Amino acid sequence: MYIDVEKGVRINVHDINPGSGSRPVVFVHGWPLNHRMFEYQFNVLPAYGFRCIGIDLRGFGESDKPWHGYTYDRLGDDVAAVAEALDLQDAALVGFSIGGPISLRYLARHPAHQGSRIRKLVLIDPAAPAFARRPDNPYGMPVEQIDDLIRQTAADRPKMLQDLSLQFFNRNVGPGLLNWFVSMGMQAASYATIQFLVALRDEDVTNDLRAIRVPTSILHGVHDKVVAYPIAQRLQQGLPGSTLQPLYNSGHGSVVDEMDAVNAALLSALR
């Protein structure tokens, strides 16, 4: 289905197992992917009574691809618009990688949704509170490296995605999974892929953390080469009452690297 989030912009939403009695879970994907990255969660959670709602963020997957709107503020407002359009109540929110800061910004900008529309938050390998390296975030990705990804995307996006796929997982995945990753990335608009990198480089949700009032669980691969594990430790320290579960056999792609452990942790956190 498609949901209008602003004039001229529709967001694609994949809704699995809707109906009375199913507990809604909203999934916000990472860069440069789309809702299909949660395939191995969508295979499992509905059997336990969960309604899985996968959002394609603007510019990605089957959503509209406007030139504008790739800030955390606008992307967070898009998630809010989906929650309101579906009239979600007592839903859980799962944010992966950049989906983490987008989810945090959404809740900070829409505090009335906390405890009503959204009751729990799960962050998987989140690029939060900041992605880029800076004095208060020494384990972040160097700005020069992010700028190089921007240049690679502008010059040869398929090669950038192929190279990134080799860093994403912590196990020897076959060509099928690597091609799956690249094909999702190629469904995005190139300019959206670049603008998400700009947001990752320039934005910071540290000040949003104090506004989060829902129970929060963080899952993070200790071998993550994209968002280093110490960033998750810093995030947990900034979210009083949150929990951090290390995934000892995962890189950044923990939803595939340790799909069984991630699914078990999700089932535990979402109950």
Side-chain angles (χ1 to χ4, degrees), residues 2 13 27 47 57 60 77 92 99 118 136 145-146 166 176-177 188 196 214 217:
Y2 285 91
V13 176
F27 290 81
L57 295 168
F60 293 79
D77 289 350
I118 304 298
D136 64 346
Q145 189 172 342
I146 302 171
L166 299 176
L177 270 174
F196 264 52
V214 296
S217 302

Side-chain angles (χ1 to χ4, degrees), residues 168-237:
F168 202 78
F169 303 102
N170 189 49
R171 59 186 177 90
N172 292 325
V173 300
L177 270 174
L178 296 178
N179 290 338
W180 175 70
F181 177 95
V182 172
S183 69
M184 277 190 284
M186 289 302 297
Q187 289 176 9
S190 182
Y191 49 84
T193 306
I194 290 170
Q195 289 303 311
F196 264 52
L197 283 168
V198 171
L200 282 165
R201 183 191 66 194
D202 297 346
E203 299 210 44
D204 186 332
V205 296
T206 299
N207 291 334
D208 299 77
L209 303 185
R210 68 190 71 170
I212 305 304
R213 304 190 311 272
V214 296
T216 302
S217 302
I218 305 166
L219 314 176
H220 206 105
V222 299
H223 303 291
D224 196 330
K225 297 178 181 178
V226 179
V227 181
Y229 182 76
I231 294 177
Q233 294 175 309
R234 177 180 171 228
L235 175 63
Q236 192 273 327
Q237 292 167 1

Side-chain angles (χ1 to χ4, degrees), residues 48-139:
Y48 291 86
F50 291 101
R51 172 188 178 189
C52 294
I53 300 164
I55 297 174
D56 283 346
L57 295 168
R58 65 171 64 205
F60 293 79
E62 297 174 36
S63 287
D64 286 349
K65 298 173 172 62
W67 178 254
H68 66 280
Y70 299 102
T71 65
Y72 286 173
D73 281 0
R74 181 63 254 181
L75 295 162
D77 289 350
D78 287 352
V79 177
V82 171
E84 290 168 358
L86 296 179
D87 193 23
L88 296 179
Q89 303 294 325
D90 294 323
L93 179 63
V94 177
F96 172 83
S97 194
I98 196 174
I102 291 169
S103 297
L104 290 162
R105 178 62 53 85
Y106 152 50
L107 293 175
R109 282 173 62 84
H110 300 270
H113 285 203
Q114 297 191 53
S116 56
R117 295 197 186 279
I118 304 298
R119 63 182 177 86
K120 289 186 178 180
L121 176 63
V122 180
L123 303 173
I124 304 176
D125 301 316
F131 179 69
R133 184 172 298 177
R134 56 191 65 171
D136 64 346
N137 192 43
Y139 295 99

